[in-house]
Amino acid sequence: MEKILLLAHTEADGSLGKAGLEALATAVALGGVLTVGLVGEATQAAADQIAGCGAARLLAVTGEVFGQPRYATDAAAAEAVCRAADCQIVIAAGTSRWARALPGVAYRLGGRVDTHATSLVLAGGAPAVTRWFYRQRMEAVLSRTQRPWVVLLDPGCVAPWSGVPGAPRAAAVEQVAVEPPATRTTVTGYQAPKADEQTIRPDAKMLLVAGAGWTKKQGDGAVHATEAEQLILGFLRKAQASLGSSKSLVDQSGEGEAVLSCLTHMNQVGQTGSTPRHAKGLSTCCHGEEPHVVGWRFVNQRRAINLDAGCGWARGKADVLYVADAFEVMRHVNSMLGA
Ligand SMILES: Cc1cc2nc3c(=O)[nH]c(=O)nc-3n(C[C@H](O)[C@H](O)[C@H](O)COP(=O)(O)OP(=O)(O)OC[C@H]3O[C@@H](n4cnc5c(N)ncnc54)[C@H](O)[C@@H]3O)c2cc1C
C-alpha cells in the first residue's frame, strides 16, 4: 500500500472538526503507513485528539496566520506539509477551505486532484475513489496512476473517527516551518445569520422540504402563506431540521406570487439544486417530480404529505405517503413537538 497523508485544518477552538475526523476514518481504514498533517493557529489540541489513530508521523504548520481561511496561506501550508510528508495519496475533507486551496496545491506538486469523492477504498489492491456524476444519477469508480493524488472527501459519507480506548493522550508533533506568503486578504470576522434564522443545516438528522402547494389556494379558496411560513419555521426550530424547497416554490419570488421569505434558491433540492444527506426527509406540499426527487438520493428514509394520492411520491419515490392536508398535519406535529 502507498503512503497516505491525511491533511486537516483545525477549527477556531484548535480541535479537529467532524469533516476532518471523517476523512481520518477513511485514511485509517485504507491501511498503509499514515502521516497526519495539521494546519491551524493552534494544532496541539487536535494532535492530542487523534493521538491514538496510529499515524506514523504527525506534522503541523502552526501559527496565527494559518488560522484564517485564505488561499495563499492555506495553499502554502498544505504544500509544505505534502512535501515534508512525501506521500503518494493525500486525503482531505471537502471543506470550503480545502476545496479552495488543494486543487492549486496538487498542481504545484505536479499531482492530480479529485473532488467530491464519496469514498476512497482499495479496489483490486489499488486505491480508488467513488464519485457521482450527472446530478447524482451515476456513480463512478475512478483510479489514477499520477501521484501525488489528492482526494477531497465530501462530508457526511462515513462515520467520523472516534478514537481508540486507552490510546495515548498526548502526541509528539513535528513542526514544519513555512514562511507565510505575502497576503492581500485579511479576515476581519464572520457575518452569518443567527443560528435560529439559519435554515440550511447539513448536519441535521432531518430534512423538511416545502413545495409550491404551501402558497397555492387551499380548500377555502384563499392562500395562507403567512401561516405556512409559521408552520414551517416552527417545525424547523423544534426539530432542528434543515429546510429544503422545490424549484417551483423558490422560483415564485420572481413571478410576484405569494412567497415564503425564509426560502432562497440555496434551499432548492433537486437536479438543478442540491443533493443533501440526511437520515430522514419529510416532503410537504411538493408533488415529487423526478427533477426534484433526484436530489433526495442520499436521504435514507423518505416521507411525503400530499393531498393528491396520485402524486409523484406515490410512484415508489417515498417510503410513506400521507394523503392529507399538510397544514393540518404540521399544526398537529408542531403541537406534539411543543408538548
Ligand atoms: C431541467 C429541469 C430541472 C429541474 N430542476 C428541479 C430541481 O432541481 N428541483 C425541483 O424541485 N424541481 C426542479 N424542476 C421542476 C420540477 O419538474 C417540478 O416542476 C417542481 O419540482 C414542482 O414543484 P412542486 O412540487 O413544489 O409544485 P407543484 O407541482 O405545483 O406541486 C404542488 C403540490 O402541492 C400539493 N398540495 C397543495 N396544497 C396542499 C396541502 N394543503 N397539503 C398537501 N399537499 C398540498 C399539490 O397536491 C401538489 O402536488 C426541474 C425541471 C426541469 C425541466
Side-chain angles (χ1 to χ4, degrees), residues 212 216 218 246-247 268-269 271-272 287 289 292 306 325-326:
K216 297 271 163 75
Q218 295 300 307
S246 70
K247 179 165 164 51
Q268 186 188 317
V269 170
Q271 182 178 340
T272 45
H287 190 73
E289 284 192 31
H292 173 77
N306 200 304
D325 178 355

Side-chain angles (χ1 to χ4, degrees), residues 3 25 43 62 80 82 85 120 126 144 150 172 184-185 218 244 272 274 291 317:
K3 288 198 290 176
T43 49
T62 312
C82 288
L120 174 58
R144 287 189 186 275
V150 181
R184 289 178 303 170
T185 309
Q218 295 300 307
T272 45
S274 63
K317 289 174 179 159

Side-chain angles (χ1 to χ4, degrees), residues 16 63 116 182 215:
L16 266 197
H116 293 296
T215 57

Side-chain angles (χ1 to χ4, degrees), residues 32-51:
V33 182
L34 174 65
T35 299
V36 173
L38 299 169
V39 175
E41 181 170 355
T43 49
Q44 188 62 50
D48 293 346
Q49 186 184 354
I50 57 165

